[in-house]
Amino acid sequence: MQIFKVVILLFSFQLMANSDFEKAEKLFKQNRLVEAQSLFENHLKANPNHTKTLEYLGDIAGANKNWDKAIVYYQKIKNQYPQNAVYQYKYGGVLGMKAKEVNKFKALGMLGDVENAFLNAAKLDPTFIDARWALVILYIELPGIVGGSETKAQKYAEELMKLSKV
């Protein structure tokens, strides 16, 4: 009888956790990010490696321009799933946005990680348009001395032309 009570108790906690996630997901889709964040954080406490929760929290942090927090969330899921192009791309994106806001010397140290994340995303998914756009922008915006290159940008622009006429 005691075991039965424990099983029921654990089952009800799991239902509540799933309920928090589902509510948070609905709030996120309604762009009610502050409310969604709170529920996602509660869900993450009970499920510390829940990939979708980490991704949503990274998306919310990115939307709020909290690059450090977004980097932590995306890095965790990127490390969990190194073969996932979207996670590589999102990680590279928030790193790049942080690099734009920090001093130039610190940004120089981040550029290799940004480029690698985008290159990995492009390699992992040969049809991933966003990763190629990010590479075009990266190579055009960077000075040549730190890796910028019109030739490299042109290569990815040509790949984009093949993937999408738009």
Side-chain angles (χ1 to χ4, degrees):
M1 187 63 166
Q2 204 64 334
I3 293 174
F4 181 70
K5 288 180 184 177
V6 171
V7 169
I8 294 296
L9 187 63
L10 289 174
F11 183 71
S12 64
F13 281 136
Q14 187 60 39
L15 284 176
M16 285 189 333
N18 284 342
S19 176
D20 275 352
F21 179 80
E22 290 165 3
K23 285 179 195 172
E25 206 169 29
K26 285 179 186 171
L27 291 168
F28 181 87
K29 290 176 182 170
Q30 296 169 357
N31 206 30
R32 294 168 59 187
L33 301 182
V34 173
E35 297 165 80
Q37 179 179 356
S38 174
L39 290 173
F40 281 131
E41 286 171 346
N42 287 340
H43 187 261
L44 192 64
K45 286 175 188 168
N47 305 281
N49 292 316
H50 191 259
T51 306
K52 203 65 185 161
T53 301
L54 290 166
E55 183 177 7
Y56 278 128
L57 286 169
D59 293 347
I60 291 168
N64 292 324
K65 298 184 181 187
N66 188 338
W67 309 128
D68 290 327
K69 218 173 187 182
I71 287 168
V72 169
Y73 292 128
Y74 290 144
Q75 186 172 33
K76 190 169 184 175
I77 57 177
K78 174 190 79 87
N79 291 340
Q80 283 177 336
Y81 299 97
Q83 300 302 308
N84 186 302
V86 173
Y87 299 154
Q88 293 283 340
Y89 168 75
K90 286 185 173 190
Y91 176 69
V94 294
L95 272 180
M97 294 307 293
K98 180 175 176 155
K100 284 184 164 193
E101 292 186 358
V102 298
N103 72 58
K104 301 303 174 204
F105 292 111
K106 189 169 184 176
L108 283 174
M110 300 170 72
L111 289 177
D113 291 336
V114 173
E115 181 182 28
N116 286 338
F118 289 149
L119 288 171
N120 285 339
K123 186 172 79 174
L124 289 168
D125 184 350
T127 63
F128 196 3
I129 291 172
D130 291 344
R132 283 160 181 77
W133 266 119
L135 285 164
V136 169
I137 292 167
L138 178 71
Y139 290 134
I140 289 294
E141 287 185 1
L142 284 179
I145 196 161
V146 292
S149 165
E150 204 171 305
T151 306
K152 289 180 186 176
Q154 187 63 39
K155 173 189 173 215
Y156 290 102
E158 288 169 8
E159 288 182 19
L160 281 169
M161 293 281 286
K162 291 176 189 170
L163 291 172
S164 172
K165 298 299 177 199
V166 177

